[in-house]
């Protein structure tokens, strides 16, 4: 079985502008085994930029959003839409 390369996809407006991007890792989630590199990277990019990051746990399928150095977890479709609409001012 082959494993696809990992990395972030950068979307600006409605276009993919980059793929397989390596993001800075946050130190905030160290020692919390339920959050891995994907969550640390989502949080890390939100700490140093105005990025809004949607991250999906590979193991649990849980959707989270990282924004302004904070991670909001366990989002269902309705809550995810609400979080993104509020963040984007729509």
């Amino acid at each position: 079985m082959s494993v696809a390369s990992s990395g972030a996809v950068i979307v600006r407006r409605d276009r993919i502008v980059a793929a397989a991007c390596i993001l800075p890792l946050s130190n905030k989630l160290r020692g919390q085994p339920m959050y891995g590199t994907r969550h640390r990277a989502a949080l890390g990019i939100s700490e140093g930029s105005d990025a809004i990051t949607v991250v999906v746990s590979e193991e649990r399928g849980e959707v989270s959003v990282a924004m302004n150095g904070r991670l909001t977890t366990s989002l269902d479709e309705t809550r995810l839409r609400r979080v993104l609409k509020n963040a984007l001012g729509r």
Side-chain angles (χ1 to χ4, degrees):
M1 177 170 91
S2 68
V3 176
S5 64
S6 62
V9 174
I10 309 297
V11 178
R12 187 171 292 133
R13 293 186 175 79
D14 294 337
R15 303 194 78 182
I16 294 175
V17 296
C21 299
I22 304 302
L23 303 178
L25 301 181
S26 174
N27 288 321
K28 285 185 179 179
L29 300 176
R30 277 196 163 175
Q32 296 185 35
M34 65 190 313
Y35 301 113
T37 304
R38 184 173 299 159
H39 290 84
R40 289 182 58 210
L43 194 56
I45 195 66
S46 80
E47 291 171 345
S49 73
D50 63 353
I52 299 167
T53 308
V54 177
V55 59
V56 180
S57 169
E58 185 175 5
E59 291 178 7
R60 297 178 312 279
E62 178 181 282
V63 178
S64 303
V65 171
M67 203 169 32
N68 300 319
R70 297 187 66 202
L71 189 66
T72 303
T73 61
S74 303
L75 298 172
D76 60 19
E77 182 180 352
T78 302
R79 286 189 62 218
L80 175 61
R81 285 180 186 275
R82 189 177 322 129
V83 167
L84 293 176
K85 282 181 182 180
N86 288 339
L88 298 171
R90 296 182 181 179

